[in-house]
């Protein structure tokens, strides 16, 4: 399988990867921009090359990736990519709920209806992205009766998994709460840039 992915996608980076595994609307876009500014080939939710929602071919191809494609699979990513590092972005749960409702238009995650997003004339690559997105949503949100329940269940999943893992592979950041370059660069071992930490999508939040 790996050889087929490599054949289709070309060579991929050999160094340690970085995965942002926070839920959507926890600063994942800002983290992605920050990683790009540190020199990583980082992708957020979709591939900038193909436009597809991130999946296994893209994970092999990039230096870093963020948002729910990583969140849904972080345990497998941990065991697949040796020495990879994981950044769990968090946010005040009440603020997160307001933002995710605005982002999705849904008062409760159980109201997610994938058929609304389905079109009969989807091209194969668009259909693939649709399937991936739907799988990620189902695994992270749709089995929960409320957004708060979904958030707490995911947090428990993350913290339980990383409880006994090496500390240099897991880092928690509250970007919306003020964490920035110092927090990120001390974890990744980079010098701190002489620029403001990016805050993407702040207007929508």
């Amino acid at each position: 399988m790996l050889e087929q992915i490599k054949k289709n996608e070309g060579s991929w980076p050999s160094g340690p990867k970085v995965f942002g595994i926070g839920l959507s609307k926890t600063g994942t876009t800002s983290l992605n921009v920050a990683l790009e500014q540190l020199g990583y080939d980082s992708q957020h939710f979709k591939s900038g090359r193909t436009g597809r929602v991130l999946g296994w071919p893209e994970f092999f191809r990039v230096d870093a990736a963020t948002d729910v494609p990583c969140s849904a699979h972080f345990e497998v990513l941990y065991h697949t990519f040796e020495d990879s590092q994981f950044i769990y972005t968090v946010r005040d749960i009440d603020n997160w709920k307001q933002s995710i409702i605005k982002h999705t238009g849904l008062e409760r995650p159980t109201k997610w209806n994938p058929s609304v997003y389905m079109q009969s004339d989807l091209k194969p690559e668009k259909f693939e992205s649709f399937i991936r997105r739907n799988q990620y949503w189902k695994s992270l949100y749709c089995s929960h009766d409320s957004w708060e329940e979904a958030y707490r269940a995911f947090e428990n999943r993350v913290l339980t998994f990383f409880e006994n893992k090496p500390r240099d592979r897991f880092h928690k950041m509250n970007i919306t709460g003020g964490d920035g370059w110092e927090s990120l660069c001390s974890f990744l071992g980079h010098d701190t840039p002489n620029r403001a930490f990016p805050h993407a999508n702040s207007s929508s939040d």
Side-chain angles (χ1 to χ4, degrees), residues 27-78:
T28 57
T29 306
S30 298
L31 175 61
N32 183 70
V33 175
L35 290 170
E36 288 179 327
Q37 293 181 3
L38 290 176
Y40 292 88
D41 175 13
S42 185
Q43 303 290 316
H44 172 75
F45 187 70
K46 289 185 178 182
S47 168
R49 299 180 182 88
T50 65
R52 294 180 304 201
V53 173
L54 299 176
W56 284 103
E58 291 79 21
F59 293 146
F60 280 98
R61 186 68 180 83
V62 300
D63 298 321
T66 64
D67 208 53
V68 292
C70 308
S71 311
H73 294 304
F74 71 83
E75 297 98 336
V76 184
L77 291 170
Y78 181 94

Side-chain angles (χ1 to χ4, degrees), residues 135-151:
Q135 290 174 337
Y136 300 151
W137 267 75
K138 287 177 67 176
S139 69
L140 293 170
Y141 301 126
C142 296
S143 62
H144 301 286
D145 292 327
S146 70
W147 290 112
E148 295 95 335
E149 181 183 306
Y151 184 98

